[in-house]
Amino acid sequence: MSAVGSCWLCGSTDLALAWRGDLPPTLGPGAFRITDAAYGRTADVYDCRACGFRQARGVDRVLALYEAMDDPDYEATRAPRRLQAERLLKVLRRHRRDGRLLDIGAGSGILVEAARAMGFDAEGIEPSRALQAEAVARGLPVHRGVLPHPGAAGRYDAATVVDVIEHVPDPVGLMRDVREVLAPGGLCLVVTPDLGSLAARLLGRRWWHYRIAHIGYFDRATLARALLAAGFEVIWAGRPTWQLPAGYLARRALTYLPGGTRVPVPGWLDRVALPLNLFDSLLFLARRRA
Ligand SMILES: [Zn+2]
């Protein structure tokens, strides 16, 4: 049995150390930037022998670091990320074309803005003070904080949880909170990196999703388990295609080369969006069970 506690997904204490982490002595909010390029740096990583869920244990104050996080690089890539949000919303729109939508972890409101343009009555919720302020400055209804939140009450027809569930130490609790704000039959779209993907298996510890801010690592089975435990039924499972700026991709690719981070990447590349499908994220659409 282990002294590290119990599995965040199934509660088992049968956790096996996959590798020791290499956290810096002090963790600042910079480590939590969405565009942070410090791949491969994690807390101690464990696999649950009971359910298979991989989790990085020992990062405290996750929420406090998020609240203090700002990410100027993220704002610089707003346009291509808008396209990315539109692609995700198209999946949702196969099942629901309008109604109240809540985006959890809304950042600076990119998905909220896209959803409103598509006809949803969309709002968001975001813990980072700087990102939430940016959303408000753009006139977008994004509340600061996390669920449960008094400003995000009532019943929503749909919720989006994009690249959020891998950041929390209680994924089932998060999804239960999402379920609580949905009307019966309400839909939830969840996107998270896929531990079972070819990229994850080929790159091992060098997979770009191993980073300090990611503490839960899902595959199809464990994500389905989290959703079922929270009171959802999965109605569709697939993979999203990302639209990312070419400059962003070039800088990330260069981090895999010796000395690559010193290679200058021309700024105009950030204005070129590339459709990218590395098949390494999961997209689940789930329905709230009554
Ligand atoms: Zn487990």
Side-chain angles (χ1 to χ4, degrees), residues 15-16 22 25 27 41 53 62 65-66 68 85 103 108 119 136-137 170 172 206 224 237 239 268 275-276:
L15 298 176
D22 52 356
L27 267 186
R41 210 153 209 209
F53 183 50
V62 173
L65 289 168
Y66 261 105
D103 186 31
S108 56
V136 169
D170 181 10
V172 176
R206 284 165 60 82
R239 295 184 180 282
W268 59 265
L276 173 75

Side-chain angles (χ1 to χ4, degrees), residues 7 9-10 12 48 50-51 53:
C7 172
L9 184 50
C10 77
S12 167
C48 174
C51 75
F53 183 50

Side-chain angles (χ1 to χ4, degrees), residues 254-264:
L254 285 168
T255 64
Y256 283 91
L257 301 176
T261 52
R262 293 191 297 276
V263 176

Side-chain angles (χ1 to χ4, degrees), residues 155 179-180 182-187 228 230-233 286-290:
R155 293 296 188 211
R179 183 184 182 278
E180 281 306 301
L182 283 173
L187 295 177
L228 289 174
F232 287 94
E233 60 175 323
R287 180 180 286 128
R288 184 198 147 135
R289 289 202 306 263

Side-chain angles (χ1 to χ4, degrees), residues 35 38 42-43 47 52 71 104 107 130 133 205 221 223-224 254 267 273 276 282:
T35 57
T42 60
D47 289 317
D71 197 341
I104 320 294
R205 285 182 61 176
L223 184 58
L254 285 168
L276 173 75
L282 292 169

